[in-house]
């Protein structure tokens, strides 16, 4: 296990990284060998397990074995040294799968397990890179419930369409939709009608899946002023106002609010 310090958004965090497993995925010689690394990462009293695939230049197994004593190789495979020496290339091709696997495992044992910290930092950098599918989950470890909320926004991969004033909604239904919240449910563009969850991102890394509603005033204002479509910026502005209106200052405040309000956020302007 190693402690690795990284500066993220101007603040330093210490990650405890423990290597759990390293396995060969594909041997590529000088072109780089693909390995899968499983690690446990701790930060801010939070922990999770992650897998990452790395391409590492481990050198060439053919060159490594060609420099070995042929008698030792013969003993390993139950053959004669003369056999191996007479046509090493043919012998290598015959046993290449085992030789390459053994070579990679030997490299991993001597270079990664015995000298873990530089390797673990490389793995952590890979997990933190923008191309990593694990980045959001890893960075979620750095936050705690007591953190003050500095940013809140919706996932811009979604579009938000308030579902009211359509041909199938009667005047009576319109007046009675979610009256206790005075809001109209937002739908995810392109998603099934029953799908109502949206991703709200707090402090860039903490994600909440919530239902979102527009107040009557906000819905009417948006329809008249802009027209139906992507209301990403409009929703983000109302999310900030929502925090102020509900006196939500920390991540714990937001968790408590969602727990007490059926995981729903009402957007008002």
């Amino acid at each position: 296990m190693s402690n690795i310090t990284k500066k993220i958004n101007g603040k330093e965090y210490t990650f405890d990284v423990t290597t759990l497993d390293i396995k060969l995925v594909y041997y590529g010689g000088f072109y780089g060998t693909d390995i899968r690394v499983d690690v446990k990462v701790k930060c801010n009293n939070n922990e999770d397990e992650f897998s990452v695939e790395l391409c590492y230049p481990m050198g060439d197994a053919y060159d490594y074995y060609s420099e070995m004593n042929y008698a030792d190789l013969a003993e390993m495979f139950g053959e004669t040294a003369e056999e191996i020496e007479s046509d090493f290339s043919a012998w290598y091709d015959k046993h290449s799968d085992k030789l390459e696997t053994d070579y990679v495992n030997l490299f991993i044992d001597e270079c990664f397990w015995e000298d873990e910290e530089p390797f673990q930092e490389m793995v952590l950098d890979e997990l933190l890179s923008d191309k990593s599918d694990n980045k959001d989950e890893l960075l979620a470890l750095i936050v705690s419930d007591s953190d003050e909320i500095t940013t809140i926004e919706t996932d811009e991969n979604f579009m938000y369409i308030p579902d009211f004033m359509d041909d199938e909604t009667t005047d009576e239904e319109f007046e009675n939709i979610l009256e206790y919240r005075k809001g109209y449910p937002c739908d995810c563009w392109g998603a099934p009608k029953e799908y109502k969850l949206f991703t709200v991102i707090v402090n860039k890394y903490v994600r909440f899946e919530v239902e979102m509603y527009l107040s009557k005033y906000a819905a009417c204002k948006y329809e008249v002023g802009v027209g139906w479509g992507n209301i990403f910026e409009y929703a983000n502005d109302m999310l900030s106002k929502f925090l102020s209106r509900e006196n939500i200052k920390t991540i714990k405040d937001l968790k408590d609010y969602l727990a007490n309000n059926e995981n729903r956020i009402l957007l008002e302007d």
Side-chain angles (χ1 to χ4, degrees):
M1 183 176 73
S2 58
N3 293 334
I4 302 169
T5 300
K6 295 291 180 183
K7 182 174 282 189
I8 301 172
N9 292 339
K11 184 177 178 181
E12 288 191 343
Y13 296 91
T14 298
F15 294 88
D16 293 339
V17 182
T18 303
T19 306
L20 302 176
D21 196 14
I22 308 172
K23 288 185 178 178
L24 171 65
V25 176
Y26 170 76
Y27 172 75
F30 284 118
Y31 297 101
T33 294
D34 294 334
I35 56 173
R36 193 195 75 192
V37 186
D38 299 330
V39 293
K40 180 169 65 176
V41 182
K42 296 182 181 180
C43 187
N44 231 18
N45 295 319
N46 300 311
E47 68 176 70
D48 204 348
E49 294 183 6
F50 303 93
S51 293
V52 63
E53 194 167 301
L54 296 174
C55 183
Y56 194 89
M58 293 186 183
D60 193 84
Y62 182 95
D63 290 346
Y64 174 79
Y65 288 108
S66 67
E67 295 175 1
M68 285 185 65
N69 188 307
Y70 290 157
D72 292 337
L73 292 175
E75 186 177 347
M76 290 166 55
F77 287 90
E79 299 170 359
T80 66
E82 292 75 17
E83 238 184 311
I84 299 173
E85 188 173 9
S86 65
D87 192 344
F88 180 80
S89 293
W91 178 85
Y92 181 87
D93 288 343
K94 177 182 176 182
H95 299 290
S96 61
D97 287 347
K98 176 172 174 50
L99 289 168
E100 289 168 0
T101 300
D102 289 349
Y103 171 76
V104 171
N105 288 336
L106 180 64
F107 188 100
I108 288 172
D109 287 342
E110 293 185 352
C111 298
F112 294 159
W113 285 111
E114 292 186 11
D115 191 18
E116 278 194 289
E117 188 164 339
F119 173 66
Q120 289 170 332
E121 183 163 11
M122 180 177 67
V123 172
L124 181 62
D125 286 339
E126 184 70 19
L127 287 168
L128 286 168
S129 69
D130 289 337
K131 64 180 180 180
S132 170
D133 293 334
N134 297 296
K135 183 177 181 180
D136 289 338
E137 287 74 12
L138 177 64
L139 290 176
L141 298 181
I142 72 176
V143 300
S144 64
D145 284 358
S146 62
D147 287 348
E148 184 177 346
I149 296 177
T150 56
T151 62
I152 183 168
E153 60 184 4
T154 56
D155 186 339
E156 60 181 319
N157 292 325
F158 289 101
M159 299 175 74
Y160 307 90
I161 309 298
D163 180 21
F164 81 118
M165 287 187 174
D166 55 44
D167 293 337
E168 298 177 0
T169 302
T170 66
D171 291 341
E172 182 178 355
E173 288 172 334
F174 175 80
E175 286 302 320
N176 292 314
I177 290 177
L178 294 173
E179 277 297 309
Y180 76 103
R181 295 306 305 266
K182 301 295 183 183
Y184 299 94
C186 300
D187 291 332
C188 295
W189 181 259
K193 192 75 171 176
E194 64 275 7
Y195 187 84
K196 299 290 185 185
L197 292 179
F198 296 91
T199 302
V200 173
I201 306 170
V202 176
N203 292 358
K204 296 184 179 180
Y205 308 125
V206 192
R207 293 172 178 264
F208 295 92
E209 300 297 315
V210 303
E211 292 184 18
M212 303 244 287
Y213 296 83
L214 277 184
S215 68
K216 292 180 180 180
Y217 175 79
C220 292
K221 176 182 176 183
Y222 186 77
E223 183 188 29
V224 173
V226 184
W228 300 114
N230 188 341
I231 63 170
F232 171 64
E233 292 182 3
Y234 189 47
N236 287 344
D237 179 59
M238 287 188 287
L239 275 172
S240 296
K241 293 176 179 177
F242 154 76
L243 295 180
S244 177
R245 184 177 72 246
E246 301 295 337
N247 196 31
I248 295 174
K249 296 180 179 179
T250 66
I251 291 175
K252 183 180 186 306
D253 291 340
L254 180 58
K255 286 183 176 179
D256 290 344
Y257 176 89
L258 293 175
N260 294 327
N261 289 274
E262 302 180 39
N263 203 42
R264 292 173 170 145
I265 290 178
L266 178 66
L267 302 176
E268 294 187 74
D269 195 347

